Amino acid sequence: MSNFVASVGMEVHAELNTQSKMFCRCPVSFGGEPNTRVCPICMGLPGTLPVPNRKAIELVLKTALALNCTIAMHSIFHRKNYFYPDLPKGYQVSQYGDTNPLGYDGYLEIPGPDGETKRVKIRRVHLEEDTGKLMHLPSGGSGVDYNRAGVPLMEIVTEFPPDITTPDEAKDYLTQLRQTLLYLGVCDGKMEEGSLRCEPNISVRIEGTDKYGTKTELKNLNSFRSVQMGVQFEVRRQIAVIEGGGTVAQETRGWNEQKEASYLMRIKEAENDYRYFPDPDLVPMCFDDEYIESLRATLPELPLAKLRRYENDLGLSTYDAGVIAADLNRVEFFEAAMELGGDPKAVCNWLTGDFAKLLNDQGLMPRESKITAAHIVELTKLIADNTISGKTAKDVFAKAFKDGRMPSEIVKESGATQISDDSVIRNLILDVLNANPEAVTKYKSGQMNVKGFLVGQVMRSSGGRANPEMVQKIVSEELEK
Amino acid sequence: MSISLDEVRHVAKLARLELDETEILSLQGELNALLGHFADIQGIDVSGVAPTSHAVSLQNVWSEDAVGPCLPREKALKNSAMSKAGLFVVPQIIED
């Protein structure tokens, strides 16, 4: 049996975060009654003229810069011609050519499992318009809703030959790309709502050969998991076809989430003859260096840079840094806590532990809760200076989560402060030792493990408030006397 | 440069035009005449001339991202051959 290697190209479509559509001023939002956000322009009625949305162009340029692309200082729109009911004009406005897309020849770096960074080359980042939505009608026929038609859509395509060779890398690329788009605020990244869509193309070839295999394209992947599973399935399917003596056909396949299998949608034919030509209704876009540099200056710190900074400057583990950097809500919280002088590791533990759990249980976003960065920083300081134990802190946090009071206030009121007074703890210990003479005898006869029992008794008698480290230390002192 | 009958048929298919053989033959002639004009243009030396995609010398015409009015749905659907529940209805599409 031969060894196969897979090549995965990624084509990602992202709906841009604009208020209005690409070439008309109909509002952009998900859902809504069908055909209520349409006008003569996005329905392609005769006699209308499109006017590009400046914000959409800017969002694509920002993305292209963040993806290390060359910017096309002169760029035009083309018509991609085909007939399909979801396309009211009979063509989709898009951008054709190698150096015409707003951005080209870039790359995205993804964090690898071994702490390394992998670079995925990007061929193009271009601007186009979304199509309408088709739905099957139970009474026969298909229904068309043009609310989505003309929504600004950005297409990001990886370079060929592909750098991605495994299903995990495909998922990691998409994850990193999505985070980048969210950091830039250009797309809301909701795969389940279709505002971020991924269509991988997959081929396999025998290791050592340099001729790439026939590609299949995969559609209907609406989660990271389905991207990973879909690519995995296709790789295995294609290998099985080849090993069975067959040949892989160039085709578009759909992903069936329930069956966890891909199915044939259509054979790609030469009829995909789109006859691209410059859209005569849309004039060229020309940019100067000053404008592009002013956009570059607005780019935020990007996810991978943030992850590395948390690791290198703040001492977080790669895992922890990744968990924080993966979620802008957490980032916002974490960075606010750092400004208040919080300890990175301690704050991170609360953010990803108890806080995340309580938020999840109630289906809240961090900023919707009563907890602020100040709460978490104060709580970690109360633990660090031994005012309360870690165990008490969990209860205090749960209370603060409920009513929004500051941890110090809750601690003061409940009297739950940690006991760190040497003489108080020593008295508690002496009481326990006097009440358990047989345990003391055992210890003195060499059964050192009874110490744990005695420490437990002291903690219990203090209602969990005694400083555990001090109890350990003083119990040993008293037993050794 | 000339266009074959099969190419005429292919272009007609892409444009969703139903043509009979007489029309295909006559269109082949017309298209070839057009291509002849382009051949003349191609004979001109344009080295050093930047490619142009538009006849007008405008650039960067765009609009700010602000929401404007839409068509009322009754009007949007008014010219459709068939509509139902606010949707345009077309013959059944199998895929997607």
Side-chain angles (χ1 to χ4, degrees):
Chain A
M1 209 168 79
S2 315
N3 262 339
F4 285 88
V5 279
S7 298
V8 184
M10 299 284 275
E11 191 176 304
V12 171
H13 285 96
E15 284 182 357
L16 296 171
N17 269 341
T18 55
Q19 301 294 310
S20 64
K21 290 189 180 179
M22 186 60 224
F23 299 112
C24 64
R25 305 288 76 81
C26 287
V28 169
S29 55
F30 179 71
E33 284 294 303
N35 296 307
T36 53
R37 298 189 200 111
V38 295
C39 75
I41 295 175
C42 58
M43 290 203 310
L45 299 188
T48 53
L49 271 179
V51 184
N53 185 332
R54 182 195 178 113
K55 171 92 181 287
I57 296 165
E58 205 159 282
L59 295 181
V60 174
L61 287 172
K62 280 173 84 163
T63 307
L65 288 168
L67 296 177
N68 310 288
C69 288
T70 303
I71 301 296
M73 302 306 267
H74 180 277
S75 179
I76 65 171
F77 288 109
H78 292 84
R79 291 186 182 181
K80 176 182 180 180
N81 300 278
Y82 64 97
F83 287 109
Y84 208 66
D86 63 7
L87 193 67
K89 295 195 291 280
Y91 59 86
Q92 179 191 28
V93 177
S94 184
Q95 295 198 283
Y96 189 63
D98 292 334
T99 57
N100 176 62
L102 289 171
Y104 57 93
D105 289 349
Y107 62 86
L108 175 67
E109 287 181 327
I110 56 177
D114 45 8
E116 299 291 298
T117 296
K118 179 172 177 120
R119 186 173 282 200
V120 178
K121 291 190 288 298
I122 288 171
R123 182 197 293 181
R124 54 195 283 132
V125 178
H126 79 237
L127 181 52
E128 57 185 33
E129 56 178 341
D130 211 344
T131 59
K133 264 186 187 161
L134 283 169
M135 49 205 90
H136 177 70
L137 297 177
S139 51
S142 295
V144 197
D145 172 11
Y146 289 124
N147 282 349
R148 202 183 65 180
V151 166
L153 195 64
M154 175 169 59
E155 183 175 310
I156 301 166
V157 184
T158 54
E159 188 57 271
F160 187 86
D163 294 311
I164 297 171
T165 57
T166 67
D168 280 346
E169 281 177 3
K171 191 195 77 185
D172 291 347
Y173 167 80
L174 187 62
T175 305
Q176 195 65 23
L177 181 60
R178 178 175 178 274
Q179 284 177 21
T180 302
L181 301 181
L182 290 175
Y183 270 49
L184 293 167
V186 302
C187 171
D188 68 16
K190 292 180 181 162
M191 293 189 73
E192 66 289 356
E193 287 182 7
S195 62
L196 187 71
R197 309 193 279 273
C198 173
E199 284 154 19
N201 56 71
I202 300 129
S203 70
V204 299
R205 68 184 201 280
I206 292 170
E207 196 165 20
T209 53
D210 48 5
K211 192 173 177 300
Y212 285 83
T214 304
K215 289 188 276 191
T216 59
E217 189 179 312
L218 205 50
K219 285 179 181 276
N220 296 348
L221 301 165
N222 51 19
S223 67
F224 288 104
R225 185 172 167 273
S226 59
V227 169
Q228 188 180 23
M229 292 186 69
V231 171
Q232 176 104 51
F233 182 90
E234 262 311 286
V235 170
R236 288 182 182 156
R237 189 191 66 82
Q238 291 184 12
I239 291 173
V241 167
I242 295 168
E243 287 185 335
T247 48
V248 175
Q250 186 181 340
E251 60 197 23
T252 300
R253 300 180 67 88
W255 179 246
N256 185 318
E257 189 83 46
Q258 280 75 41
K259 291 184 184 162
E260 295 185 351
S262 72
Y263 61 92
L264 177 63
M265 285 176 90
R266 62 174 173 232
I267 309 276
K268 281 220 164 185
E269 292 174 58
E271 83 170 40
N272 276 348
D273 181 345
Y274 294 124
R275 295 148 292 144
Y276 286 93
F277 67 87
D279 191 319
D281 288 344
L282 294 160
V283 300
M285 298 173 276
C286 298
F287 312 109
D288 56 28
D289 289 334
E290 194 188 348
Y291 172 64
I292 297 300
E293 289 315 309
S294 75
L295 284 183
R296 196 192 300 277
T298 66
L299 295 185
E301 181 182 35
L302 294 169
L304 188 63
K306 211 177 263 299
L307 189 158
R308 297 289 183 234
R309 178 166 65 83
Y310 289 172
E311 253 184 310
N312 301 332
D313 299 358
L314 302 179
L316 291 185
S317 68
T318 309
Y319 176 80
D320 283 343
V323 172
I324 302 274
D327 181 345
L328 265 188
N329 290 301
R330 284 199 194 122
V331 165
E332 191 186 329
F333 225 93
F334 180 74
E335 299 200 342
M338 293 305 101
E339 281 190 16
L340 294 170
D343 172 69
K345 178 64 185 162
V347 169
C348 172
N349 286 346
W350 283 98
L351 271 185
T352 58
D354 288 44
F355 190 29
K357 187 179 176 302
L358 287 170
L359 288 171
N360 195 34
D361 288 348
Q362 311 220 356
L364 291 175
M365 304 289 277
R367 71 163 73 91
E368 292 169 336
S369 81
K370 292 175 174 149
I371 296 291
T372 65
H375 285 83
I376 290 189
V377 172
E378 194 179 274
L379 191 64
T380 56
K381 286 188 172 163
L382 289 171
I383 302 167
D385 67 12
N386 289 326
T387 307
I388 54 173
S389 67
K391 190 170 170 299
T392 305
K394 282 176 170 289
D395 298 333
V396 171
F397 185 80
K399 282 181 188 146
F401 188 86
K402 231 177 241 166
D403 59 23
R405 282 185 304 160
M406 290 305 284
S408 56
E409 198 184 322
I410 295 169
V411 167
K412 203 178 284 170
E413 192 182 273
S414 66
T417 48
Q418 181 158 278
I419 301 165
S420 298
D421 183 311
D422 187 292
S423 63
V424 176
I425 291 179
R426 202 171 293 271
N427 282 334
L428 284 172
I429 290 171
L430 290 175
D431 287 348
V432 167
L433 296 188
N434 287 335
N436 295 282
E438 64 287 358
V440 176
T441 316
K442 276 184 185 170
Y443 182 88
K444 300 220 185 241
S445 68
Q447 292 188 47
M448 316 292 265
N449 57 357
V450 298
K451 187 189 150 193
F453 164 75
L454 293 167
V455 167
Q457 293 300 305
V458 175
M459 291 306 294
R460 179 186 289 185
S461 76
S462 75
R465 290 167 55 208
N467 180 327
E469 282 145 37
M470 290 181 70
V471 171
Q472 289 279 358
K473 181 170 147 276
I474 300 170
V475 165
S476 295
E477 279 171 22
E478 290 299 326
L479 285 172
E480 297 298 334
K481 266 185 188 169
Chain B
M1 188 178 176
S2 68
I3 190 167
S4 70
L5 284 173
D6 276 345
E7 282 168 326
V8 177
R9 289 191 189 98
H10 175 64
V11 173
K13 190 183 168 207
L14 289 173
R16 299 294 189 271
L17 293 176
E18 269 183 52
L19 302 176
D20 60 33
E21 285 305 302
T22 333
E23 288 171 310
I24 289 170
L25 265 175
S26 98
L27 277 168
Q28 184 193 25
E30 291 175 32
L31 287 170
N32 276 329
L34 270 174
L35 287 173
H37 294 308
F38 284 110
D40 291 344
I41 296 171
Q42 273 176 334
I44 301 167
D45 179 13
V46 290
S47 53
V49 180
T52 180
S53 57
H54 289 79
V56 290
S57 60
L58 283 171
Q59 61 185 43
N60 297 348
V61 175
W62 39 47
S63 162
E64 294 307 320
D65 180 30
V67 170
C70 298
L71 268 187
R73 187 160 72 180
E74 321 78 76
K75 278 198 165 176
L77 294 169
K78 199 174 166 194
N79 290 328
S80 61
M82 207 202 295
S83 65
K84 193 178 227 173
L87 297 163
F88 292 87
V89 176
V90 297
Q92 188 167 337
I93 303 295
I94 318 281
E95 56 176 31
D96 285 357

